[in-house]
Amino acid sequence: MQNAELRTVTVTRYITPLREGGSLPALTEADDEFKYVLKFKGAGHGVKALIAELLGSEIARALGFRVPELVYANLDEAFGRTEGDEEIQDLLQASQGLNLALHFLSGAINFDPVVTKVEEFEASKIVWLDAFITNVDRTYRNTNMLMWHKELWLIDHGASFYFHHSWTNVEEKAKTPFNFIKDHVLLPQASKIKEANEYAKKIITPEKIEEIVSLIPSEWLQWQDTDETEEEIKAVYAQFLKTRLDYSEIFTKEAENARKALI
């Protein structure tokens, strides 16, 4: 079910980085006593990665997929001053204010396509989702799916919407076939992509797109490299998605052809 809005928590404890390097997600604890995977706005792609995570995750949730709860995560000015690692301290200081965090699924294991088979329509819907949001990061090398309590959960959508790193020719990029879909980990099982397209377009309406885009907080829209207002930036994201929806047959056909080349 689509969240009407996200909760806001305050981060109280930095526990550990989840991968090598200080610029990547970290396991943290917040003032509600839950643990979260925190995505930092001070990391490499800044707020654009958070926007992609937010939009991609909430579109996935609207389509009925299991996605960890997202929250806005506030880092106050004093947080991290006692952190011994200089690189992590720099990251924390650069991320003061509003960040994004996902509820930590304790005990979850990485999805293994050899061990777990995904039902064909479900696989097709996930392929459709990733083609729609131009998510390059659901491959055999990095599936970005977890198994938790024997159920499939989707995570990590921050590499989606890569058009926004150049922010040019948006209309043209919205109509691209997305040929990266050939590397999708679930493509071999995705035999019902056309049906998935029909299903998704009943749910992801222009109104739903507007609702999801409205979740982007003002703090993430203070871009130094544009003269556009917050509302104008939101309108670009919404229009990208609406155009992509209108021309979904382009990326649907690309996915179908890529699958035929596999089997």
Side-chain angles (χ1 to χ4, degrees):
M1 184 174 168
Q2 172 65 34
N3 294 341
E5 58 184 36
L6 305 189
R7 294 189 299 116
T8 300
V9 301
T10 296
V11 179
T12 55
R13 184 162 68 107
Y14 181 101
I15 299 173
T16 185
L18 289 180
R19 298 176 192 159
E20 293 300 318
S23 65
L24 291 160
L27 181 62
T28 61
E29 189 171 36
D31 57 354
D32 60 358
E33 298 185 355
F34 286 115
K35 290 184 175 66
Y36 294 93
V37 176
L38 183 63
K39 305 292 183 83
F40 296 100
K41 69 177 182 181
H45 288 304
V47 293
K48 290 184 178 181
L50 303 191
I51 291 170
E53 185 73 63
L54 173 61
L55 298 181
S57 296
E58 292 306 310
I59 290 168
R61 197 187 312 280
L63 287 168
F65 297 117
R66 296 178 186 87
V67 183
E69 181 194 6
L70 297 184
V71 296
Y72 303 125
N74 193 55
L75 282 183
D76 67 37
E77 191 176 342
F79 190 84
R81 283 181 181 165
T82 59
E83 172 58 49
D85 186 303
E86 189 174 318
E87 188 179 5
I88 293 175
Q89 188 178 85
D90 289 345
L91 176 64
L92 296 175
Q93 290 178 349
S95 302
Q96 289 175 11
L98 217 57
N99 298 270
L100 188 69
L102 295 83
H103 195 94
F104 178 59
L105 304 181
S106 180
I109 59 173
N110 288 325
F111 169 80
D112 184 341
V114 175
V115 174
T116 304
K117 295 302 177 188
V118 178
E119 186 272 327
E120 291 181 355
F121 186 49
E122 188 79 353
S124 300
K125 289 189 293 180
I126 295 172
V127 168
W128 186 95
L129 164 70
D130 290 326
F132 177 54
I133 64 175
T134 62
N135 180 20
V136 299
D137 211 3
R138 190 113 57 206
T139 66
Y140 284 93
R141 186 175 60 84
N142 192 16
T143 66
N144 280 330
M145 293 183 284
L146 298 175
M147 296 302 298
W148 194 52
H149 298 304
K150 298 182 180 179
E151 293 177 328
L152 185 68
W153 290 70
L154 307 186
I155 60 168
D156 284 354
H157 299 93
S160 308
F161 299 95
Y162 55 82
F163 83 90
H164 63 183
H165 296 297
S166 63
W167 207 248
T168 58
N169 304 319
V170 176
E171 183 84 6
E172 180 184 322
K173 288 173 182 173
K175 299 175 185 177
T176 56
F178 191 62
N179 57 13
F180 292 106
I181 204 67
K182 69 183 186 300
D183 300 320
H184 199 287
V185 65
L186 294 182
L187 191 59
Q189 285 82 51
S191 63
K192 299 182 177 180
I193 296 170
K194 184 178 180 181
E195 292 90 334
N197 183 50
E198 293 168 357
Y199 165 85
K201 292 183 79 166
K202 292 176 183 174
I203 296 170
I204 306 301
T205 61
E207 294 74 24
K208 179 59 70 176
I209 287 170
E210 292 284 354
E211 179 185 331
I212 292 172
V213 170
S214 74
L215 294 171
I216 305 173
S218 296
E219 191 173 320
W220 297 353
L221 297 169
Q222 309 301 316
W223 296 1
Q224 295 179 346
D225 55 352
T226 181
D227 295 327
E228 291 172 298
T229 65
E230 295 172 21
E231 289 308 314
E232 287 170 337
I233 294 171
K234 283 185 180 180
V236 171
Y237 280 108
Q239 191 55 55
F240 173 85
L241 286 165
K242 290 174 187 176
T243 301
R244 198 141 183 83
L245 199 64
D246 287 341
Y247 291 86
S248 65
E249 287 75 15
I250 294 175
F251 65 78
T252 298
K253 181 60 70 177
E254 177 73 16
E256 288 177 325
N257 290 340
R259 185 174 180 274
K260 286 175 187 173
L262 281 180
I263 58 177

